[in-house]
Amino acid sequence: MARELDVKQWRDALVEACEDGDGTRARTLVLQPGPRRARALLEGMLEDPDALVRQAASWGLGELGGGASARRLEQQLPIEESRRDHDGASVVEAITQALGRIKEAGSRATLVRRLKRLVPGRDILSEVNPLARALWRHRHPDLLPDIREALERLDLSELNSLRGLRLLLEKSPEELRTWAQDMSVPVKDKTEVLTVLEEEVPDAWMPALSAFISTAEAMVDSAVSQGGEAAYFCERLLLLLLGQERLLPRVAPEVRSDLRILARRLLAATSLNSSTRAASLLALIGQPEDVILLERHRPAEPILARLFDDVARALLRIHVK
Protein backbone atom coordinates (compact mmCIF):
# COMPACT_ATOMS: atom_id res chain seq x y z
CA MET A 1 0.00 0.00 0.00
CA ALA A 2 1.34 3.42 -0.97
CA ARG A 3 2.17 5.66 1.96
CA GLU A 4 -0.14 8.64 2.46
CA LEU A 5 1.45 11.89 1.32
CA ASP A 6 2.53 14.16 4.15
CA VAL A 7 1.39 17.43 2.59
CA LYS A 8 3.31 19.72 4.91
CA GLN A 9 6.51 17.77 4.46
CA TRP A 10 5.97 17.71 0.68
CA ARG A 11 5.32 21.44 0.55
CA ASP A 12 8.33 22.29 2.71
CA ALA A 13 10.56 20.07 0.60
CA LEU A 14 9.34 21.72 -2.60
CA VAL A 15 9.92 25.21 -1.22
CA GLU A 16 13.42 24.21 -0.13
CA ALA A 17 14.25 22.67 -3.52
CA CYS A 18 13.05 25.77 -5.37
CA GLU A 19 14.92 28.08 -3.02
CA ASP A 20 18.10 26.03 -3.58
CA GLY A 21 17.61 26.04 -7.35
CA ASP A 22 17.46 22.23 -7.37
CA GLY A 23 15.24 21.76 -10.40
CA THR A 24 15.65 17.99 -10.53
CA ARG A 25 14.46 17.50 -6.96
CA ALA A 26 11.66 20.04 -7.36
CA ARG A 27 10.47 18.31 -10.52
CA THR A 28 10.38 14.95 -8.76
CA LEU A 29 8.37 16.43 -5.91
CA VAL A 30 5.83 18.07 -8.22
CA LEU A 31 5.18 14.74 -9.93
CA GLN A 32 4.95 12.78 -6.67
CA PRO A 33 1.25 13.35 -5.81
CA GLY A 34 0.06 12.87 -9.38
CA PRO A 35 -1.00 15.71 -11.72
CA ARG A 36 -4.51 16.33 -10.39
CA ARG A 37 -3.60 16.42 -6.72
CA ALA A 38 -0.38 18.31 -7.37
CA ARG A 39 -2.32 21.02 -9.18
CA ALA A 40 -4.77 21.38 -6.30
CA LEU A 41 -1.95 21.57 -3.76
CA LEU A 42 0.01 24.09 -5.81
CA GLU A 43 -3.01 26.30 -6.39
CA GLY A 44 -3.62 26.25 -2.65
CA MET A 45 -0.02 27.29 -2.04
CA LEU A 46 -0.61 30.43 -4.11
CA GLU A 47 -2.84 31.64 -1.27
CA ASP A 48 -0.04 31.35 1.30
CA PRO A 49 1.24 34.59 2.90
CA ASP A 50 4.85 33.38 2.54
CA ALA A 51 6.32 34.58 -0.76
CA LEU A 52 8.70 31.61 -0.93
CA VAL A 53 5.73 29.26 -0.86
CA ARG A 54 4.01 31.21 -3.64
CA GLN A 55 7.20 31.19 -5.70
CA ALA A 56 7.45 27.41 -5.34
CA ALA A 57 3.79 27.06 -6.31
CA SER A 58 4.38 29.15 -9.42
CA TRP A 59 7.37 27.04 -10.38
CA GLY A 60 5.37 23.86 -9.86
CA LEU A 61 2.46 25.03 -12.00
CA GLY A 62 4.92 25.98 -14.71
CA GLU A 63 6.29 22.46 -14.53
CA LEU A 64 2.83 20.90 -14.77
CA GLY A 65 2.06 23.14 -17.74
CA GLY A 66 -1.19 23.22 -19.65
CA GLY A 67 -3.94 25.75 -20.03
CA ALA A 68 -5.21 25.33 -16.46
CA SER A 69 -1.83 26.27 -15.02
CA ALA A 70 -1.51 29.23 -17.37
CA ARG A 71 -4.95 30.55 -16.42
CA ARG A 72 -4.33 30.20 -12.68
CA LEU A 73 -0.99 31.97 -12.95
CA GLU A 74 -2.58 34.76 -14.98
CA GLN A 75 -5.14 35.22 -12.20
CA GLN A 76 -2.35 35.43 -9.62
CA LEU A 77 -0.23 37.91 -11.55
CA PRO A 78 -2.23 41.12 -10.83
CA ILE A 79 -2.59 40.06 -7.18
CA GLU A 80 1.18 39.95 -6.83
CA GLU A 81 1.66 43.15 -8.84
CA SER A 82 -0.72 44.99 -6.52
CA ARG A 83 1.37 44.14 -3.45
CA ARG A 84 4.03 46.63 -4.62
CA ASP A 85 6.69 45.14 -2.38
CA HIS A 86 9.74 42.91 -2.69
CA ASP A 87 7.79 39.74 -1.91
CA GLY A 88 5.21 40.47 -4.56
CA ALA A 89 7.91 41.28 -7.11
CA SER A 90 9.70 38.00 -6.40
CA VAL A 91 6.51 36.05 -7.06
CA VAL A 92 5.80 38.06 -10.21
CA GLU A 93 9.22 36.99 -11.49
CA ALA A 94 8.50 33.35 -10.63
CA ILE A 95 5.14 33.53 -12.43
CA THR A 96 6.79 35.17 -15.43
CA GLN A 97 9.36 32.40 -15.65
CA ALA A 98 6.66 29.74 -15.28
CA LEU A 99 4.55 31.27 -18.05
CA GLY A 100 7.63 31.24 -20.25
CA ARG A 101 7.87 27.47 -19.81
CA ILE A 102 4.19 26.78 -20.50
CA LYS A 103 3.76 26.20 -24.22
CA GLU A 104 0.29 27.65 -24.56
CA ALA A 105 -0.77 30.59 -26.71
CA GLY A 106 -2.52 31.99 -23.67
CA SER A 107 0.78 32.17 -21.81
CA ARG A 108 2.30 34.36 -24.49
CA ALA A 109 -0.73 36.64 -24.46
CA THR A 110 -0.48 36.98 -20.67
CA LEU A 111 3.18 37.92 -20.92
CA VAL A 112 2.44 40.51 -23.60
CA ARG A 113 -0.27 42.05 -21.42
CA ARG A 114 2.24 42.17 -18.58
CA LEU A 115 4.68 43.96 -20.89
CA LYS A 116 2.03 46.53 -21.79
CA ARG A 117 1.36 47.24 -18.10
CA LEU A 118 4.97 48.12 -17.33
CA VAL A 119 5.71 51.75 -16.59
CA PRO A 120 9.08 53.52 -16.39
CA GLY A 121 10.65 53.41 -12.95
CA ARG A 122 13.81 52.98 -10.96
CA ASP A 123 13.62 49.17 -10.79
CA ILE A 124 12.20 48.61 -14.26
CA LEU A 125 15.04 46.33 -15.37
CA SER A 126 14.17 43.80 -12.66
CA GLU A 127 10.80 43.48 -14.38
CA VAL A 128 11.86 43.86 -18.00
CA ASN A 129 14.69 41.34 -18.11
CA PRO A 130 12.84 38.23 -16.81
CA LEU A 131 9.87 39.14 -18.99
CA ALA A 132 12.03 39.41 -22.12
CA ARG A 133 13.60 36.02 -21.44
CA ALA A 134 10.19 34.43 -20.90
CA LEU A 135 8.93 35.92 -24.17
CA TRP A 136 11.96 34.47 -25.97
CA ARG A 137 10.60 31.03 -25.14
CA HIS A 138 7.43 32.09 -27.01
CA ARG A 139 9.43 33.70 -29.82
CA HIS A 140 7.37 34.77 -32.80
CA PRO A 141 7.65 37.72 -35.21
CA ASP A 142 4.19 38.84 -34.07
CA LEU A 143 5.80 39.94 -30.81
CA LEU A 144 7.92 42.61 -32.49
CA PRO A 145 5.36 45.47 -32.57
CA ASP A 146 4.69 45.14 -28.84
CA ILE A 147 8.39 44.90 -28.03
CA ARG A 148 9.24 47.98 -30.10
CA GLU A 149 6.40 49.91 -28.50
CA ALA A 150 7.58 48.93 -25.01
CA LEU A 151 11.17 49.94 -25.75
CA GLU A 152 10.01 53.35 -26.91
CA ARG A 153 7.61 53.82 -24.01
CA LEU A 154 9.99 52.65 -21.29
CA ASP A 155 12.96 54.58 -22.74
CA LEU A 156 15.55 52.11 -21.44
CA SER A 157 19.10 53.42 -21.54
CA GLU A 158 20.82 50.69 -19.52
CA LEU A 159 21.80 47.32 -20.92
CA ASN A 160 18.63 45.22 -21.03
CA SER A 161 17.25 41.94 -22.34
CA LEU A 162 14.23 43.47 -24.07
CA ARG A 163 16.46 45.13 -26.64
CA GLY A 164 18.31 41.83 -27.01
CA LEU A 165 14.99 40.09 -27.63
CA ARG A 166 14.10 42.60 -30.33
CA LEU A 167 17.43 42.01 -32.06
CA LEU A 168 16.97 38.24 -31.95
CA LEU A 169 13.48 38.41 -33.40
CA GLU A 170 14.57 40.79 -36.15
CA LYS A 171 17.35 38.52 -37.41
CA SER A 172 17.47 35.03 -38.83
CA PRO A 173 20.06 32.71 -37.25
CA GLU A 174 22.32 33.27 -40.26
CA GLU A 175 21.96 37.05 -40.01
CA LEU A 176 22.68 36.86 -36.28
CA ARG A 177 25.92 35.01 -36.92
CA THR A 178 27.11 37.65 -39.40
CA TRP A 179 26.01 40.42 -37.05
CA ALA A 180 27.83 38.88 -34.08
CA GLN A 181 31.07 38.71 -36.09
CA ASP A 182 30.85 42.38 -37.08
CA MET A 183 33.27 44.21 -34.79
CA SER A 184 31.62 47.55 -35.63
CA VAL A 185 28.49 46.45 -33.73
CA PRO A 186 28.57 47.83 -30.16
CA VAL A 187 29.59 45.26 -27.55
CA LYS A 188 26.63 46.31 -25.43
CA ASP A 189 24.21 45.19 -28.15
CA LYS A 190 25.85 41.77 -28.38
CA THR A 191 25.79 41.39 -24.61
CA GLU A 192 22.07 42.14 -24.56
CA VAL A 193 21.50 39.30 -27.01
CA LEU A 194 23.54 36.94 -24.82
CA THR A 195 21.38 37.75 -21.79
CA VAL A 196 18.37 36.45 -23.72
CA LEU A 197 20.12 33.39 -25.13
CA GLU A 198 20.99 32.45 -21.54
CA GLU A 199 17.35 31.44 -21.27
CA GLU A 200 17.51 29.09 -24.24
CA VAL A 201 19.66 28.52 -27.32
CA PRO A 202 17.44 26.82 -29.89
CA ASP A 203 19.08 24.41 -32.32
CA ALA A 204 18.85 26.85 -35.22
CA TRP A 205 20.83 29.43 -33.26
CA MET A 206 23.63 27.07 -32.21
CA PRO A 207 25.96 28.04 -35.12
CA ALA A 208 25.83 31.67 -34.00
CA LEU A 209 27.56 30.73 -30.74
CA SER A 210 30.88 30.37 -32.54
CA ALA A 211 30.56 33.98 -33.73
CA PHE A 212 30.06 35.22 -30.17
CA ILE A 213 33.07 33.17 -29.08
CA SER A 214 35.14 34.78 -31.86
CA THR A 215 34.06 38.19 -30.60
CA ALA A 216 35.22 37.30 -27.10
CA GLU A 217 38.58 36.17 -28.45
CA ALA A 218 39.01 39.46 -30.29
CA MET A 219 38.45 41.52 -27.15
CA VAL A 220 40.01 39.27 -24.53
CA ASP A 221 43.06 41.51 -23.99
CA SER A 222 40.79 44.41 -23.11
CA ALA A 223 38.61 42.16 -20.95
CA VAL A 224 41.64 40.97 -18.96
CA SER A 225 43.37 44.30 -18.43
CA GLN A 226 40.58 46.87 -18.40
CA GLY A 227 37.36 45.09 -17.49
CA GLY A 228 34.36 47.16 -18.55
CA GLU A 229 32.09 46.18 -21.43
CA ALA A 230 34.52 43.63 -22.84
CA ALA A 231 34.81 41.79 -19.54
CA TYR A 232 31.05 41.84 -19.03
CA PHE A 233 30.50 40.41 -22.51
CA CYS A 234 32.90 37.56 -21.72
CA GLU A 235 31.20 36.95 -18.37
CA ARG A 236 27.79 36.63 -19.99
CA LEU A 237 29.14 34.34 -22.71
CA LEU A 238 30.69 32.00 -20.15
CA LEU A 239 27.55 32.15 -18.02
CA LEU A 240 25.51 31.08 -21.04
CA LEU A 241 27.83 28.16 -21.80
CA LEU A 242 27.94 27.04 -18.18
CA GLY A 243 24.20 27.37 -17.66
CA GLN A 244 23.00 25.00 -20.40
CA GLU A 245 24.49 21.53 -20.14
CA ARG A 246 23.65 20.55 -23.70
CA LEU A 247 25.70 23.33 -25.32
CA LEU A 248 29.34 22.40 -24.71
CA PRO A 249 29.07 18.81 -26.01
CA ARG A 250 27.65 20.19 -29.25
CA VAL A 251 30.38 22.75 -29.83
CA ALA A 252 32.75 21.82 -32.67
CA PRO A 253 36.19 20.56 -31.51
CA GLU A 254 38.04 23.55 -32.98
CA VAL A 255 35.65 25.97 -31.27
CA ARG A 256 36.02 24.03 -28.04
CA SER A 257 39.78 24.48 -28.34
CA ASP A 258 39.30 28.22 -28.85
CA LEU A 259 37.10 28.30 -25.77
CA ARG A 260 39.78 26.66 -23.69
CA ILE A 261 42.32 29.25 -24.83
CA LEU A 262 39.83 32.01 -24.01
CA ALA A 263 39.21 30.59 -20.53
CA ARG A 264 42.95 30.26 -19.85
CA ARG A 265 43.48 33.91 -20.71
CA LEU A 266 40.50 35.09 -18.68
CA LEU A 267 41.95 33.53 -15.54
CA ALA A 268 44.14 36.63 -15.34
CA ALA A 269 41.20 39.05 -15.63
CA THR A 270 40.89 41.86 -13.12
CA SER A 271 37.18 41.03 -12.94
CA LEU A 272 36.67 38.18 -10.47
CA ASN A 273 33.43 37.26 -12.23
CA SER A 274 35.37 36.68 -15.44
CA SER A 275 38.18 34.73 -13.82
CA THR A 276 35.95 32.49 -11.70
CA ARG A 277 33.69 31.65 -14.63
CA ALA A 278 36.78 30.91 -16.69
CA ALA A 279 37.93 28.49 -13.98
CA SER A 280 34.50 26.85 -13.94
CA LEU A 281 34.66 26.42 -17.71
CA LEU A 282 38.11 24.84 -17.50
CA ALA A 283 36.66 22.30 -15.10
CA LEU A 284 34.63 21.07 -18.08
CA ILE A 285 37.03 21.53 -21.01
CA GLY A 286 40.45 22.01 -19.44
CA GLN A 287 43.57 19.86 -19.44
CA PRO A 288 46.15 19.06 -16.73
CA GLU A 289 48.57 21.64 -18.12
CA ASP A 290 46.04 24.34 -17.20
CA VAL A 291 46.70 23.71 -13.51
CA ILE A 292 49.77 25.94 -13.44
CA LEU A 293 47.64 28.89 -14.60
CA LEU A 294 44.97 28.13 -12.02
CA GLU A 295 47.62 28.18 -9.32
CA ARG A 296 49.19 31.37 -10.65
CA HIS A 297 45.90 33.28 -10.71
CA ARG A 298 44.33 31.73 -7.62
CA PRO A 299 42.29 34.47 -5.85
CA ALA A 300 43.04 35.48 -2.29
CA GLU A 301 39.38 35.26 -1.29
CA PRO A 302 38.96 31.84 0.42
CA ILE A 303 35.75 30.70 -1.27
CA LEU A 304 36.96 31.61 -4.75
CA ALA A 305 40.37 30.11 -3.99
CA ARG A 306 38.63 26.84 -3.11
CA LEU A 307 36.93 26.86 -6.52
CA PHE A 308 40.29 27.21 -8.27
CA ASP A 309 41.75 24.44 -6.09
CA ASP A 310 38.84 22.11 -6.85
CA VAL A 311 39.21 22.68 -10.59
CA ALA A 312 42.96 22.08 -10.40
CA ARG A 313 42.45 18.79 -8.56
CA ALA A 314 39.84 17.68 -11.09
CA LEU A 315 42.20 18.41 -13.98
CA LEU A 316 45.06 16.57 -12.32
CA ARG A 317 42.83 13.52 -12.02
CA ILE A 318 42.55 13.53 -15.82
CA HIS A 319 46.31 13.02 -15.97
CA VAL A 320 46.15 10.20 -13.43
CA LYS A 321 43.52 8.39 -15.48
Side-chain angles (χ1 to χ4, degrees), residues 209-240:
L209 272 184
S210 61
F212 285 101
I213 293 168
S214 296
T215 296
E217 290 179 282
M219 63 176 68
V220 68
D221 288 339
S222 176
V224 169
S225 61
Q226 300 174 27
E229 288 187 348
Y232 191 58
F233 174 86
C234 292
E235 289 170 23
R236 301 308 299 216
L237 176 63
L238 297 193
L239 186 63
L240 186 158

Side-chain angles (χ1 to χ4, degrees), residues 4-193:
E4 180 67 21
L5 179 72
D6 184 325
V7 172
K8 183 180 184 306
Q9 186 179 59
W10 175 85
R11 189 190 76 162
D12 291 347
L14 178 61
V15 171
E16 181 181 332
C18 289
E19 191 176 7
D20 292 343
D22 189 344
T24 301
R25 182 172 172 232
R27 194 169 294 111
T28 300
L29 286 163
V30 167
L31 297 175
Q32 186 179 340
R36 181 176 296 181
R37 190 174 186 197
R39 187 179 305 283
L41 291 170
L42 292 167
E43 290 183 355
M45 287 168 62
L46 284 176
E47 306 294 332
D48 197 281
D50 188 334
L52 290 176
V53 175
R54 302 199 304 277
Q55 287 177 51
S58 302
W59 190 94
L61 287 170
E63 188 63 25
L64 285 179
S69 290
R71 288 189 292 273
R72 181 63 186 88
L73 290 169
E74 181 176 17
Q75 292 170 6
Q76 190 69 21
L77 197 51
I79 296 172
E80 300 298 342
E81 289 174 347
S82 68
R83 296 181 194 274
R84 300 188 182 280
D85 59 15
H86 174 75
D87 284 352
S90 67
V91 182
V92 166
E93 183 172 348
I95 291 174
T96 299
Q97 292 169 346
L99 288 169
R101 303 198 324 269
I102 297 175
K103 301 302 181 185
E104 295 279 337
S107 297
R108 187 176 79 191
T110 299
L111 292 170
V112 170
R113 286 192 287 271
R114 164 78 177 143
L115 180 64
K116 290 179 176 180
R117 289 198 298 272
L118 293 183
V119 295
R122 186 178 60 183
D123 298 324
I124 188 63
L125 291 184
S126 65
E127 300 180 271
V128 163
N129 291 338
L131 186 52
R133 290 192 283 267
L135 284 168
W136 172 238
R137 287 186 173 270
H138 292 277
R139 53 193 167 274
H140 194 282
D142 288 351
L143 289 170
L144 274 170
D146 291 313
I147 291 168
R148 289 170 179 151
E149 185 278 330
L151 283 168
E152 183 176 350
R153 171 169 45 85
L154 297 173
D155 191 25
L156 301 169
S157 57
E158 300 97 331
L159 186 149
N160 67 87
S161 297
L162 192 60
R163 202 157 39 224
L165 176 61
R166 187 202 68 199
L167 286 165
L168 280 168
L169 293 177
E170 287 175 341
K171 301 180 186 303
S172 69
E174 295 76 18
E175 290 170 335
L176 181 69
R177 183 172 185 170
T178 301
W179 175 86
Q181 289 174 323
D182 185 350
M183 296 307 293
S184 69
V185 174
V187 176
K188 178 181 176 182
D189 292 358
K190 296 179 183 180
T191 306
E192 288 175 330
V193 167

